[in-house]
Amino acid sequence: MKKVVALLLSFLLPGLLHAGEPTCHTSTAAPYCYYLGKVKQLYINESGVMLLYFDTPMSSGAPASVGIGGVSKFVAGAISYKDKSEFASYFYSTALAAQTTGKDVKIQMRGTVGGYLKIDRIWVE
């Protein structure tokens, strides 16, 4: 019975099955953290910071476990749109489209911005 329910859910609710807290990994290029899930909320302020809130907060020790220091806020990833305004514009429109349609996003984060992990790429599932 459990297998039947799991199979039905995998077809009916694919976004919920894939969503989860961000995880961090090492690679030959640089350590990074990865998120797959819904865009819970988008936030932009006049100081040049844009936040994408995760649907599940990240474990507080995850970034440090792969050598990413300076992370003190674990509920969102950030972009400084004053640094890379063209990327930030594309990022915002992509994240907003995913949020509006209920699609999952995949994002990778390397480094930090204001205590948040710094987002450097995005995909829509």
Side-chain angles (χ1 to χ4, degrees), residues 16-17 31 58 92:
L16 292 177
L17 292 178
M58 165 180 274
Y92 182 75

Side-chain angles (χ1 to χ4, degrees), residues 26-42:
T26 57
S27 75
T28 55
Y32 68 95
C33 296
Y34 173 82
Y35 172 68
L36 169 62
K38 302 290 183 210
V39 177
K40 181 177 179 183
Q41 183 178 0
L42 290 169

Side-chain angles (χ1 to χ4, degrees), residues 5-6 8-21 35-40 54-56 101-105 125:
V5 171
L8 286 173
L9 287 175
S10 70
F11 287 110
L12 299 174
L13 303 170
L16 292 177
L17 292 178
H18 295 292
E21 73 179 61
Y35 172 68
L36 169 62
K38 302 290 183 210
V39 177
K40 181 177 179 183
F54 313 131
D55 59 9
T56 304
T101 60
K103 301 274 187 184
D104 285 345
V105 293
E125 274 280 294

Side-chain angles (χ1 to χ4, degrees), residues 39-52:
V39 177
K40 181 177 179 183
Q41 183 178 0
L42 290 169
Y43 167 85
I44 302 172
N45 68 27
E46 67 179 23
S47 298
V49 177
M50 181 184 316
L51 301 176
L52 180 145

Side-chain angles (χ1 to χ4, degrees), residues 72-100:
S72 58
K73 300 169 184 153
F74 304 97
V75 296
I79 293 174
S80 173
Y81 63 81
K82 290 187 176 178
D83 291 342
K84 295 190 176 186
S85 61
E86 186 174 15
F87 171 71
S89 178
Y90 290 137
F91 173 85
Y92 182 75
S93 63
T94 303
L96 187 60
Q99 184 183 42
T100 302

